[in-house]
Amino acid sequence: MTAVQGTAVDVPTEDGVADAHLSRPADGVPRPGVLLYQDAFGLRPHLRAMADRLAGAGYAVLVPNVFYRHGRSPVVELPEFIDTEARPDIFERLLPVMRSLTPDLVTRDAGAYLRWMARSPLVADGPVAVTGYCMGARLSLLTAGAHPERVAAAAGFHGGRLATEAPDSPHLMAGRVTAELYFGHADDDPALPPEEKERLEKALTAAGVRHRCEVYEGARHGFTQADTAAYQEAASERHWAALLDLLTRTF
């Protein structure tokens, strides 16, 4: 692990300015870019720490506040540790914000994030990778489908609503994906029931997408998020190994 530097940055979009965090090796040398999408709880110290860990492995990692239309992060106040009792109240405030982020807005914003990375002297020229958590897994797949010329690899962990019956479900983008994909699913996850896991697998296979989908047995939804009660260290470390393996093959 190399020394890293984190910086608050602003990313212009078609609808305003998204506040974001950029982590990269402290030597200032341009590194391959990774776009990291938040879970529902948003840009906060834990996600900055995740970006720092990726940066320590040799990447320039951008973490945008995808809820920027509702204010700079934190969009809602969060406790330092999000326990089971706190979740219902937090989600009551976050659900309208989450539902307002339509697939059209996601892909439009993704273009802005990718353009910012292409112009940054700290991000190496060439394609980027994307990773996302919980709702961010959905954003990762949408970004890979909408911007195939820029995304070489995409991952999602304990994702939800990846393969619904809705006409704008992310799995319907499979035919446009050229990136290699990896999904690490939570076990017995209400946000991604077995039929959706199967539907996603079938769509990716039918489209000829290079991919691997794995179910982390015994892992709960949110297993990578160390500032929540859902965190599970063994599953989280498995996610890090899978993600870094994907990135090593990509760059």
Side-chain angles (χ1 to χ4, degrees):
M1 298 288 286
T2 188
V4 303
Q5 184 173 350
T7 309
V9 298
D10 284 341
V11 179
T13 75
E14 294 182 37
D15 298 323
V17 176
D19 54 305
H21 175 82
L22 179 70
S23 290
R24 77 279 188 191
D27 59 13
V29 175
R31 301 301 178 106
V34 178
L35 176 59
L36 191 157
Y37 280 127
Q38 64 180 65
D39 62 353
F41 298 125
L43 180 55
R44 61 194 192 280
H46 169 65
L47 285 192
R48 295 184 185 97
M50 293 185 76
D52 286 349
R53 180 164 175 172
L54 267 184
Y59 303 99
V61 186
L62 180 70
V63 191
N65 166 24
V66 303
F67 296 150
Y68 70 89
R69 291 176 181 85
H70 300 267
R72 299 179 72 87
S73 57
V75 173
V76 302
E77 291 299 321
L78 298 170
E80 289 186 13
F81 183 77
I82 303 168
D83 61 24
T84 304
E85 291 184 2
R87 291 176 72 94
D89 179 61
I90 295 171
F91 269 104
E92 183 178 356
R93 289 176 282 155
L94 280 175
L95 274 175
V97 178
M98 295 168 63
R99 288 170 177 161
S100 71
L101 190 61
T102 64
D104 285 345
L105 293 181
V106 169
T107 56
R108 192 162 78 202
D109 288 346
Y113 306 145
L114 295 171
R115 284 191 298 274
W116 188 94
M117 296 175 80
R119 295 167 182 165
S120 172
L122 297 171
V123 181
D125 293 338
V128 304
V130 186
T131 186
Y133 301 86
C134 300
M135 61 164 276
R138 181 170 171 268
L139 275 55
S140 182
L141 180 52
L142 287 169
T143 299
H147 302 279
E149 74 290 350
R150 291 285 289 128
V151 179
F157 298 91
H158 46 83
R161 299 186 58 78
L162 291 171
T164 71
E165 295 180 341
D168 58 0
S169 177
H171 79 287
L172 298 175
M173 300 281 274
R176 299 179 59 183
V177 172
T178 59
E180 180 178 352
L181 304 184
Y182 177 89
F183 290 98
H185 302 315
D187 193 12
D188 192 22
D189 187 350
L192 194 72
E195 61 271 20
E196 288 195 34
K197 293 183 174 80
E198 182 179 358
R199 189 179 293 132
L200 175 64
E201 176 67 39
K202 286 183 176 180
L204 297 177
T205 300
V209 178
R210 293 170 296 152
H211 72 281
R212 189 161 86 246
C213 298
E214 297 183 321
V215 176
Y216 289 25
E217 291 187 11
R220 298 181 298 238
H221 182 83
F223 60 76
T224 63
Q225 303 302 297
D227 60 348
T228 77
Y231 177 69
Q232 292 176 275
E233 183 177 7
S236 180
E237 289 303 313
R238 178 179 173 182
H239 127 268
W240 283 115
L243 178 58
L244 290 171
D245 180 60
L246 176 66
L247 295 180
T248 299
R249 292 198 303 278
T250 303
F251 300 117

